[in-house]
Amino acid sequence: MHNRELATARAQFESDGFYICAQPVIPDDLIQRAIAGMDAVRFGHYETGLPPHKCYWKPGDDPQKLGKIDVPQGSNQAIMDLFTHPAIAELAAAITGAKWIQAWWGQLLYKPPLARNTEGGQNIGWHQDAQYWKDWEAGSELFTAWVALSNVTPDAGPMKLVRGSNKWGLLDQGFFYEQDLEALRGGIAIPPGQTWEEVEVILPPGGVSFHHNLTYHGSGPNRSAEPRRSFAIHMRTEKSSPATRSKEGHMAYIDNPAYCPTIYRREQKPEPSVP
């Protein structure tokens, strides 16, 4: 991307609370390796010998439900290669102006095609990530890169982002696992004068979107013929601090690069020599 495009991307991220890069930034060979890695981790095969943090779907569970696995990147090298790919890191730095970025958490998200005329537990309820990230100091610069491995079409249950909701503050209303999106939306008291405008994240394989930790988002069922495959890479910059010294919950791997690598560090220009 050229400097003007990067400036536009940063302005959009700051204004809307998200930026959608609809052009593939991940090479196809890595996408295919990451797909194989995703399936391996889903079925309990951990190439590195390191297990994920938690598996909310396991073989034998309802095949129509959302497959969600926390911190899969330590379990498979291809997934780690995706999380640390320079194109993602450089885009993340460009839209935030960060000097340093760590991938501090991650989620594998596999949304199978829903059988016709059936209902499945595939929806992701409207929520702000900050609702669940209270082990960080208030105001910490935290955001998410959402990377598509499949063709995310309007009927594939794409993520939906609410434009400008990053400026509403932490409302602490919503629930990730709620299936009734309409009822959940009706219970969120948005600030006076604000509007609820949903934007679908339509991406090709290798495309990526970024959203702020206060941006409301959710998604519906996958009505396409193929599984919707994606990874959510949760990131932080140098403008972030843990609110606790405990090494539990989201802090469990914060000092372990095998799970939570530093993916970007701005090169420091040498000081000019004094004649």
Side-chain angles (χ1 to χ4, degrees):
M1 297 176 70
H2 300 297
N3 289 340
R4 181 176 296 179
E5 293 174 309
L6 291 174
T8 300
R10 183 169 184 178
Q12 183 186 359
F13 183 79
E14 292 175 352
S15 174
D16 294 346
F18 58 83
Y19 171 67
I20 301 171
C21 181
Q23 299 299 317
V25 298
I26 304 300
D28 186 65
D29 65 320
L30 179 52
I31 293 172
Q32 297 308 314
R33 289 197 299 116
I35 288 174
M38 171 181 278
D39 288 341
V41 172
R42 287 177 59 235
F43 286 92
H45 305 301
Y46 310 138
E47 176 187 39
T48 65
L50 300 175
H53 179 73
K54 191 170 184 179
C55 299
Y56 294 88
W57 184 92
K58 298 177 182 178
D61 289 351
D62 184 351
Q64 294 284 286
K65 286 188 176 181
L66 175 74
K68 176 177 175 287
I69 296 176
D70 281 354
V71 196
Q73 65 271 24
S75 303
N76 182 273
Q77 186 58 52
I79 298 176
M80 180 61 82
D81 290 346
L82 181 77
F83 274 46
T84 58
H85 194 275
I88 296 175
E90 289 166 10
L91 266 175
I95 64 173
T96 61
K99 298 178 182 178
W100 172 89
I101 298 175
Q102 181 187 31
W104 64 272
W105 200 259
Q107 294 174 330
L108 178 159
L109 299 165
Y110 178 91
K111 187 178 286 192
L114 192 62
R116 185 172 297 180
N117 299 321
T118 63
E119 297 295 331
Q122 296 192 334
N123 293 352
I124 295 177
W126 297 111
H127 67 284
Q128 296 170 298
D129 289 334
Q131 292 175 237
Y132 301 100
W133 295 352
K134 293 178 180 177
D135 34 14
W136 291 98
E137 291 283 356
S140 287
E141 191 167 47
L142 310 169
F143 61 103
T144 296
W146 195 78
V147 186
L149 299 189
S150 60
N151 192 23
V152 182
T153 58
D155 61 349
M159 181 167 61
K160 297 180 181 180
L161 301 160
V162 179
R163 192 189 306 274
S165 55
N166 58 308
K167 297 182 179 179
W168 297 352
L170 177 57
L171 302 187
D172 216 1
Q173 301 167 21
F175 183 50
F176 183 98
Y177 292 104
E178 177 58 55
Q179 295 301 294
D180 190 337
L181 299 180
E182 185 174 350
L184 186 62
R185 157 67 187 89
I188 298 173
I190 67 175
Q194 301 299 313
T195 58
W196 184 278
E197 180 188 352
E198 300 172 13
V199 178
E200 289 186 328
V201 181
I202 307 303
L203 294 174
V208 60
S209 68
F210 297 87
H211 64 266
H212 190 276
N213 70 89
L214 291 174
T215 301
Y216 266 99
H217 56 290
S219 67
N222 178 8
R223 300 291 185 184
S224 73
E226 301 294 333
R228 195 209 73 179
R229 298 173 179 267
S230 64
F231 285 100
I233 309 173
H234 301 316
M235 302 181 178
R236 70 174 180 128
T237 75
E238 73 279 0
K239 299 176 182 178
S240 62
S241 299
T244 174
R245 294 184 179 181
S246 170
K247 297 303 179 183
E248 299 178 352
H250 287 131
M251 298 298 118
Y253 312 102
I254 198 70
D255 296 323
N256 186 346
Y259 285 102
C260 301
T262 296
I263 65 171
Y264 179 86
R265 192 181 300 275
R266 186 184 301 173
E267 293 183 8
Q268 297 296 320
K269 294 182 179 180
E271 295 292 331
S273 59
V274 179

